[in-house]
Structure formats: structure tokens, C-alpha cells
Amino acid sequence: MYLARVIGTVVASHKEPNLSGIKLLVVQDLADEGTQKSVIAADAVGAGVGDTVLVLQEGGSAREALGKPEAPINDAVIGIVDQYKGYGPESRA
Amino acid sequence: MYLARVIGTVVASHKEPNLSGIKLLVVQDLADEGTQKSVIAADAVGAGVGDTVLVLQEGGSAREALGKPEAPINDAVIGIVDQYKGYGPESRA
Amino acid sequence: MYLARVIGTVVASHKEPNLSGIKLLVVQDLADEGTQKSVIAADAVGAGVGDTVLVLQEGGSAREALGKPEAPINDAVIGIVDQYKGYGPESRA
Amino acid sequence: MYLARVIGTVVASHKEPNLSGIKLLVVQDLADEGTQKSVIAADAVGAGVGDTVLVLQEGGSAREALGKPEAPINDAVIGIVDQYKGYGPESRA
Amino acid sequence: MYLARVIGTVVASHKEPNLSGIKLLVVQDLADEGTQKSVIAADAVGAGVGDTVLVLQEGGSAREALGKPEAPINDAVIGIVDQYKGYGPESRA
């Protein structure tokens, strides 16, 4: 798992049917700020652009977190972070 | 999951029998454009060279998305992307 | 698995319900000391900031180690290390 | 999955019993040619040194591809490639 | 899977109960010699410091190889290597 900022969104109209209704977010590890590295994660908690979030990187858990056992996903946003210390370039008290 | 461009195809005539009938695409993470880094993904949505796509990186989900529980694959193209913002070097409105 | 130092904590009040009651630690691979690279791991052994720990990187085992088969996690602290030799920049006798 | 060249072999006489009878190949991602990066993959298709192959990176599928559900492996050679375009430093028509 | 040298050991007295009786080794990919990169693997074959070994990187297979389905591990030493060719900086005939 890692801490990330939500920096964008994705729209795919032609997709695998089990992806329907899943909000896809572009998230960037706080430690990668300033680089082009980011990933696409399914939203399980109602996060939006600008939020600092906890990202899970495993399909089985991710599908359970979304309550969609058939969904083809392998990354999910599972928490909105209020405070953290000791991660990446900054802390948030 | 990540966003990628389909940049090529692969033909393997001698292969594991459960791969038969699966179209294999060469996909490159949009953030890796200009490098030699790419992966081979099974096509689940009818994508072609030049398309911007959503790539899943997990075997279990990938096999379900293709409807082939026995297929030996671990990456799959699961959506064709219309719009994205905040991923890699550019956006597409 | 790898050896890490616990360097911080995370608080997320709005999160996937199955994360409730799980302590989240910021851990950094001993070999990454001095960099910004770190990950978030669930605590299965009562570790705290400053401890040298053994980190597991697999969801299935991690959930079992915490005794929470429904928890959406994929990294866990599973041991507090007393001695090690040959890992990262230093040894601990 | 990725495309690789078979560049060597491995012999281990003292090993986990379920590895018996499995041919282990040293394979190198075509994009890593000229570096020291390579991995060990179990052969599911009768590949040999010099072949360009398709490599699968997931234990569950790899064990099925070899027809050995108990084998402790997590990478397998699942196809011998005839043609490819758009992968690594060169194409093969 | 990859080839590694066993370069150290780890002792953790306070740990997840299912780790009891499992020998933990520090192993370094032969291609990473001279760097600080290494991982912790459970020993399934009686390997010791200095041995060249085959390392498996998947929890399910690793637990089976150790005969401990409940053990929280995700890397295991599954073979002691006699000969190899084409891996990392050197060969062993």
C-alpha cells in the first residue's frame, strides 16, 4: 500500500462490461511527485482530485473493497488520509 | 492498472494450447513513451495499434475479462480510453 | 519479504470499513534509507516507530497474519528483528 | 507478459521435490539486452537457447501451463515467437 | 524466479506465530552483487551462507514448498544451484 494524491480521472466508454459503474482515478505516489509516474485505481471511498489517499495494490482485496467480485481491477483507493508522518517529501499534521 | 498505447502485435505459432485464439498486443505505458519498456497484454476489448487503452496487471481478473479461466495470461487490455487528465506527459480532452 | 525501519504512522478517518482497527505504519526498506521511498504496512505484531521489522508483501498471507480475512491490505509487519547480518548498509549483532 | 531471449540454463541437483523434471531457462527481456538483468523461467513449450519467447509472470497460470499444480514456480515460457513488431530495440517480420 | 547468493541470516524473536521454525535467509540476486539490494527468503532446502540458490517469489507456491500452508511468507529458497550459464556477471560450469 502507499500514499498518493489523486491527480486526474479517466473515461473509457468501450470497456470490459464488469468495469461499468466503477470510477477510475489517476493517482500518484507522494514520493513520485514531480515525475510522470502514476497509476489508475478504482475508487472505493468517494475520493476526488486533490485528495491524499491510501492505495491498495492487490486484485482480490480491491474487488472485495468495491463489493464487485467480478470487476477486472488490481488497484483501489481505500481511504482518504487525514494525517501522516514520515512518508515522501512532507508530513501532514 | 495503467494507461498505455498499443504499439505492436505478436505472433507465436508454437505455444501453450490455452493461448489459442487470444490476440496478443504490445502495449507501452504512456509515461514510458520514448523508452524501450513495454509489455505483452491479451486483448479483451478489440483494441488495435494506435489506441490508448487501460491495462490490467493481474492474472485472475485478466482471465475472467477474457472469459478464458484456463488461459495463461497475466496482463489484459480491458478498455479503450476516450478521455484522461493528469496521466503521463499529456492529457486528452 | 524485506527488512525495514518503522518511520511513521498514518491516520485515515474516512476508509473502507474492513480497515477499521488496523494500525497502519510507514515502513522503509533498510536499503532505501536516505531516499523518499517507503510503503504503508498493516501492523500484525505491535511494532512502533524506530523498530527494525520484517515486512511481508502479499495480500493473502497478510490478511491471515492479522486474523482479518476481509481486510483490504497487501503489506504487513510480521516480525520485530533482533539480529541481522548482510542486509542493507549495516548489520545488527 | 513480455518477450525475451533464452540465454542460458540452470542445473540444481538439490531442490524442492516438485521441481523435478522441470527445465529451467535463463531468459532476458528483449528490452534488457546488454544488461545483466534476467530471470529464471520454467519451460512449458520446449524452448531452447537462442529462441525468442513469450514469458508469463504469474504462479497460478504458470503451474497450469506446465500441468503441474504443485510445482513451486512463478515464471514460465509459454510460446515461441515467430513475429513481433514494436517491442524493444528491433522487430522480427 | 532468480538466482541469488545467500549472504546473511535474520533473527526475529517477536513475530507472527506461524513464522516459528522457519529459517530466514538474506539473499541477493547475482545481478545485484555489489549493491545494497537484497530480500528475505524462507529456506525450503537447507541452504546456508555462501550457497548459490534458486529463489521463488510467490506466496502460494512458497508456502507449499515449505509444507506450511499458514506461514506468512512470500519468497522461498527452493533449490541449491550446481551449474548455470548466462545469468548475471558470471557462469558456473
Side-chain angles (χ1 to χ4, degrees):
Chain A
M1 295 171 285
Y2 59 94
L3 298 189
R5 191 151 290 130
V6 180
I7 60 171
T9 53
V10 178
V11 177
S13 52
H14 182 61
K15 59 193 165 193
E16 209 275 336
N18 287 310
L19 268 180
S20 289
I22 294 177
K23 185 166 66 163
L24 297 171
L25 301 171
V26 182
V27 299
Q28 182 172 53
D29 191 320
L30 295 185
D32 290 328
E33 210 181 317
T35 74
Q36 289 187 356
K37 208 179 153 195
S38 48
V39 312
I40 307 301
D43 179 31
V45 290
V49 173
D51 284 342
T52 299
V53 295
L54 178 65
V55 182
L56 175 72
Q57 305 161 275
E58 198 219 19
S61 282
R63 288 186 289 273
E64 269 184 43
L66 266 89
K68 305 204 173 198
E70 308 291 312
I73 59 172
N74 64 300
D75 298 279
V77 170
I78 57 168
I80 298 179
V81 172
D82 306 302
Q83 293 174 28
Y84 63 93
K85 221 164 72 180
Y87 191 95
E90 45 171 316
S91 287
R92 173 175 296 183
Chain B
M1 296 171 284
Y2 59 95
L3 297 189
R5 189 151 290 128
V6 180
I7 60 172
T9 53
V10 177
V11 178
S13 52
H14 181 62
K15 60 193 164 195
E16 209 274 335
N18 287 310
L19 268 181
S20 289
I22 293 176
K23 184 166 67 162
L24 297 172
L25 300 171
V26 181
V27 300
Q28 182 173 53
D29 192 321
L30 295 185
D32 291 328
E33 209 181 318
T35 74
Q36 290 188 356
K37 208 179 153 195
S38 48
V39 312
I40 308 301
D43 179 31
V45 290
V49 172
D51 284 343
T52 299
V53 295
L54 178 64
V55 181
L56 175 72
Q57 305 161 274
E58 198 218 19
S61 282
R63 288 187 289 272
E64 269 184 42
L66 267 91
K68 304 204 172 197
E70 308 291 313
I73 58 172
N74 63 300
D75 298 279
V77 170
I78 57 168
I80 298 179
V81 172
D82 307 303
Q83 293 173 28
Y84 63 92
K85 221 163 72 182
Y87 191 95
E90 45 172 314
S91 286
R92 174 175 296 183
Chain C
M1 295 170 286
Y2 59 95
L3 298 189
R5 190 151 290 130
V6 180
I7 60 171
T9 53
V10 177
V11 177
S13 52
H14 181 61
K15 61 194 164 193
E16 209 274 335
N18 287 310
L19 268 180
S20 288
I22 293 176
K23 185 166 64 164
L24 297 172
L25 300 171
V26 182
V27 299
Q28 182 173 54
D29 191 320
L30 295 185
D32 290 329
E33 210 181 317
T35 74
Q36 288 187 358
K37 208 179 154 196
S38 48
V39 311
I40 308 300
D43 179 31
V45 291
V49 172
D51 283 342
T52 299
V53 296
L54 178 64
V55 181
L56 175 72
Q57 305 161 276
E58 198 218 20
S61 281
R63 288 187 288 273
E64 269 185 42
L66 265 90
K68 305 204 172 195
E70 307 291 312
I73 59 172
N74 64 300
D75 299 279
V77 169
I78 57 169
I80 298 178
V81 172
D82 307 302
Q83 293 175 28
Y84 64 92
K85 221 163 71 181
Y87 190 96
E90 45 170 317
S91 287
R92 175 175 295 184
Chain D
M1 296 170 283
Y2 59 95
L3 298 189
R5 190 150 291 129
V6 180
I7 60 171
T9 53
V10 177
V11 178
S13 52
H14 181 62
K15 61 194 164 195
E16 208 273 336
N18 286 311
L19 269 180
S20 289
I22 294 176
K23 185 167 65 161
L24 298 171
L25 300 171
V26 182
V27 300
Q28 183 173 54
D29 191 320
L30 296 184
D32 291 327
E33 210 181 317
T35 74
Q36 289 187 358
K37 207 179 153 195
S38 48
V39 311
I40 308 300
D43 179 31
V45 290
V49 172
D51 284 343
T52 298
V53 295
L54 178 65
V55 181
L56 175 72
Q57 305 161 275
E58 197 218 21
S61 281
R63 287 186 289 273
E64 269 183 43
L66 267 91
K68 304 205 172 195
E70 308 291 312
I73 60 173
N74 63 299
D75 299 279
V77 170
I78 57 169
I80 299 179
V81 173
D82 306 303
Q83 292 173 30
Y84 64 93
K85 221 165 70 182
Y87 191 97
E90 46 172 314
S91 287
R92 174 175 297 182
Chain E
M1 295 170 284
Y2 58 95
L3 298 189
R5 190 150 291 129
V6 180
I7 60 172
T9 53
V10 177
V11 177
S13 53
H14 182 61
K15 61 194 164 193
E16 209 274 335
N18 286 310
L19 269 180
S20 288
I22 293 176
K23 185 166 64 163
L24 297 172
L25 300 171
V26 182
V27 300
Q28 182 173 54
D29 191 320
L30 295 185
D32 290 328
E33 209 181 317
T35 74
Q36 288 186 358
K37 209 179 152 196
S38 48
V39 311
I40 308 301
D43 179 31
V45 290
V49 173
D51 284 342
T52 298
V53 295
L54 178 65
V55 181
L56 175 72
Q57 305 161 277
E58 198 219 21
S61 281
R63 287 186 289 273
E64 270 185 41
L66 266 91
K68 304 204 172 197
E70 308 290 312
I73 59 173
N74 64 301
D75 299 278
V77 170
I78 57 169
I80 298 179
V81 172
D82 306 303
Q83 293 174 27
Y84 64 93
K85 221 164 72 181
Y87 191 96
E90 46 171 316
S91 287
R92 174 175 296 183

